[in-house]
Amino acid sequence: MKSGKRTMKKKKKHKQGQEHEKHPAGSLPEGPLVEILSRVPYKSFCRFKCVSKPWLALCSDPDIRKRSPQTMAGFFLRNYGMRPCFINLSGRGQPLVDPFLSFLRESFKLLIPQHCCGGLVLCKYWESYCFEEDEYNLVVCNPATKKWAELPPNPIQLQDEDEEEVEEYLCFDPAVPSRFMVFTHTWDFTEVTIYSSDTGRWTTVESGWIDKTPIGLPVFLNGTLHLMTTEYSIVTVDTEGKVWGQIDIPGNMRDSSDYPFIGQSQGRLYAWCINDNVDVCQLLVWALEDYGGAKWALKDTVNISELFGRDRYKYVEPLAIHPDCDLIFLTDRRGKAISYDMDSKKVHVIGTHETFYGAIPYVPCFAEWPSDGH
């Protein structure tokens, strides 16, 4: 009798195990389970694959993956004459994306990332390693899905052979993944063109900015492109080139030793600068509280010597701000990059490289690619 009971228990446990294998979350219906998983950050989501084969299959579902929240994964570095380089933000294991964009290597010999926006990367490319700097074209790719689209020649580039006088920026919103835009202009904004993935063509538009000189990386926020200028103002334009504007920066930011930088975090525009006076060198960070009224609030002030040490502070410049939290990234121009948490005041070294100049923050995106992509 006892032997029979043990056999019955084993059969029951085996049956329960089979049921668990079929349904990863037990009796939880598939609909609510998918909804829950789609809200889990992607890095945590990936860990569930190790639980069992059913979990592996469930977590490999592209419909769940593309809805999963993404966070900043690292930085692409712009290295002329070299293949793309990627700095993994976690510093552990393999990055979530191919750091060298190898999936483009069969089509393009030399690639240089120029700008990241919403998970897509805008690159310059050359047909061979023996390149002329003014003989390049543009390609937009998604490192997370390995999809890409080659852009037709830019009308500005055909008219002006001086590559240094043409700037290119990518505009893409993961919430509207069916389209992207590329905004380009000459250095003095006398010529402006916009590429739309909807039409597959460039459009020349009349510039609304006069006597402006852009600096740093742009910010694409709320359907609008934002650029800091050497005139200590932020100029703005919509993706169709119809609505041009300007946002004033805080007055004391004009006293900074270097030009200010801008970024976006948690749906707001941020600006920061290094203020170096005789007594102390400080990082100052502002958040735009009232977009329409250009009302800024001082978010944080910290002495650079507390972040890098007194012997290295004169070489510091800001890199970016984290899109999901109050975390700002800086480099000392000697190859060391750190993150500074404005809430906890903690400092973390994220890596060292020959130079972090022009580092481009990257957030993965698994959304569907526009229909004309490869």
Side-chain angles (χ1 to χ4, degrees), residues 106 199 275 291 324 342 348 358:
E106 293 182 2
T199 63
N275 190 359
Y291 193 93
D324 302 320
M342 291 183 281
H348 176 69

Side-chain angles (χ1 to χ4, degrees), residues 28-281:
L28 188 65
E30 184 175 344
L33 176 60
V34 170
E35 188 63 29
I36 291 171
L37 291 177
S38 67
R39 299 174 185 270
V40 176
Y42 185 69
K43 279 191 175 181
S44 301
F45 178 65
C46 287
R47 297 190 183 103
F48 300 155
K49 294 181 179 181
C50 303
V51 175
S52 65
K53 289 182 178 180
W55 273 103
L56 174 62
L58 182 64
C59 296
S60 300
D61 188 329
D63 289 333
I64 299 178
R65 184 179 63 179
K66 71 182 182 182
R67 294 170 58 191
S68 183
Q70 308 299 321
T71 191
M72 186 173 169
F75 293 91
F76 277 102
L77 302 183
R78 293 183 286 186
N79 296 321
Y80 281 82
M82 300 173 61
R83 60 182 180 174
C85 181
F86 186 81
I87 302 299
N88 191 12
L89 197 57
S90 69
R92 302 186 301 272
Q94 294 296 318
L96 292 176
V97 299
D98 176 1
F100 306 121
L101 305 180
S102 302
F103 62 96
L104 293 175
R105 290 293 160 192
E106 293 182 2
S107 302
F108 313 111
K109 295 296 183 182
L110 180 62
L111 285 163
I112 300 176
Q114 295 297 301
H115 186 218
C116 298
C117 185
L120 303 189
V121 182
L122 174 68
C123 298
K124 290 181 179 178
Y125 75 85
W126 288 261
E127 298 293 345
S128 69
Y129 292 109
C130 300
F131 69 94
E132 295 291 337
E133 289 191 355
D134 60 329
E135 295 180 357
Y136 68 90
N137 282 304
L138 300 172
V139 60
V140 174
C141 68
N142 186 336
T145 61
K146 299 183 179 181
K147 301 294 184 180
W148 55 274
E150 185 179 357
L151 275 59
N154 186 351
I156 290 182
Q157 190 177 328
L158 292 176
Q159 297 173 14
D160 192 337
E161 294 184 355
D162 189 349
E163 177 268 337
E164 294 182 350
E165 291 192 3
V166 181
E167 296 290 325
E168 300 100 352
Y169 314 121
L170 180 62
C171 301
F172 175 71
D173 184 353
V176 189
S178 60
R179 66 193 294 259
F180 65 83
M181 316 287 283
V182 176
F183 184 96
T184 77
H185 63 85
T186 52
W187 186 253
D188 56 2
F189 289 108
T190 56
E191 294 182 84
V192 177
T193 60
I194 299 176
Y195 173 85
S196 171
S197 63
D198 285 341
T199 63
R201 297 193 303 268
W202 292 95
T203 301
T204 300
V205 300
E206 183 178 353
S207 175
W209 300 326
I210 301 175
D211 298 327
K212 302 293 184 182
T213 304
I215 53 172
L217 293 174
V219 173
F220 185 61
L221 179 65
N222 298 328
T224 301
L225 186 69
H226 302 71
L227 281 167
M228 177 62 74
T229 72
T230 56
E231 290 73 29
Y232 290 92
S233 65
I234 300 172
V235 290
T236 65
V237 62
D238 71 323
T239 55
E240 295 182 356
K242 295 180 179 179
V243 182
W244 303 76
Q246 179 173 307
I247 300 174
D248 292 330
I249 63 173
N252 47 353
M253 190 176 282
R254 298 175 182 274
D255 300 327
S256 61
S257 54
D258 273 322
Y259 289 114
F261 290 76
I262 57 174
Q264 72 89 15
S265 179
Q266 304 159 84
R268 291 192 298 174
L269 189 66
Y270 278 70
W272 57 89
C273 67
I274 302 294
N275 190 359
D276 185 8
N277 57 39
V278 177
D279 299 321
V280 66
C281 181

Side-chain angles (χ1 to χ4, degrees), residues 253 256-257 260-261 271-276 280-286 298-308 313 316-321 326-331 338-342 345:
M253 190 176 282
S256 61
S257 54
F261 290 76
W272 57 89
C273 67
I274 302 294
N275 190 359
D276 185 8
V280 66
C281 181
Q282 294 181 316
L283 168 71
L284 295 91
V285 184
W286 284 267
L298 183 62
K299 183 71 177 179
D300 196 19
T301 302
V302 62
N303 292 346
I304 294 297
S305 60
E306 298 177 18
L307 305 180
F308 284 92
Y313 77 87
V316 171
E317 76 174 21
L319 286 176
I321 191 168
D326 293 329
L327 196 70
I328 197 162
F329 302 92
L330 305 98
T331 178
I338 68 164
S339 64
Y340 164 62
D341 191 318
M342 291 183 281
K345 310 303 179 184

